[in-house]
Amino acid sequence: MRKGFGIGLTMLGGFLITLAILAQFWAPGQLMKTPLDVDSTTLLSGDAELANGTGSTDQFAVKAFSITHADSERSDSDVVVFQNSSCLVKDEGDIDECVSADDPEERLISASTDAFATNRRTAEAVDDPKYLPPSAEDKSGLVNKWPFDAEKKTYQYWDGYAGEAVDATYEGTQDYDGLELYVYKTVVSDVPIEVSSGVPGTYSTDKTLWIDPTTGSIINQFEDQQRLDEDGNTFLALNFGFTDEQVKANADDASANADKLNLVTGTVPLIGWIVGIPALLIGIALQLMRRRSA
């Protein structure tokens, strides 16, 4: 009986140690990747001031909708390709989605579509015709998330209006319902742009982003944006960010995903080492003792 028990403990210990090695050294590289089934809608709200063509501006509440989904056919094990469509609308008439350009209530302020690709591990933009159509804009830096295990440092973050990656400076940490978030800030000042087709002006923004460091997910963001015409008059001013419901949903998702990662990469290796090593050693000792007694 001692023989069978010793062999069983040896096999159990070997299995648990192997599991610990895989969970600690192999699993992170497989799990810490942007998934290929992303299909999300992000909701933002706030206030806007828009030029009305008479030398003054109108003020009103706004909503923004950003719909992003991964193109699994163009993506592969290293790169994920995204399609995005977004719009900014006047918050009138209990609106809950983008409206068309011929909306009878003229609630559409702006709309755009975008295609981009990122490295599934680092979240850095990938500019490669293998993944993107010829019309896709060249991008650099982080685009729609931070890397897994984000660090307390400055990252390069893509700003589509500035047309370049800008510094996202680490500002500290904040707690949201028990979830520790890293806070980053981007500041852009007076970048020459077309505020409207054929209308020159400048663009400035002060954006704050709250990041879950484990998954790299953007939990919240708030932006103070100014677009001025060439005379320095306000063409569009925005103060908006994720809705409270959006922030809670993002935090819940990040917390659940972080728990899964921590289970596989933290708890499983810990149990494997703590239980596996003694089981292996005891099993080997029992077999040696039996051999000596025989």
Side-chain angles (χ1 to χ4, degrees), residues 117-141:
T118 64
N119 184 286
R120 295 180 63 193
R121 297 178 188 273
T122 67
E124 293 276 348
V126 175
D127 284 318
D128 189 331
K130 172 183 176 181
Y131 301 105
L132 298 168
S135 59
E137 177 185 44
D138 290 342
K139 291 180 172 62
S140 60

Side-chain angles (χ1 to χ4, degrees), residues 7 72 110 123 128 144 188 197 204 210 214 237 245 263 278 282-283 288:
I7 293 174
S72 58
S110 64
D128 189 331
N144 64 336
V188 176
S197 180
S204 301
W210 289 261
T214 301
E245 295 78 9
L263 173 65
I282 293 172
L288 291 175

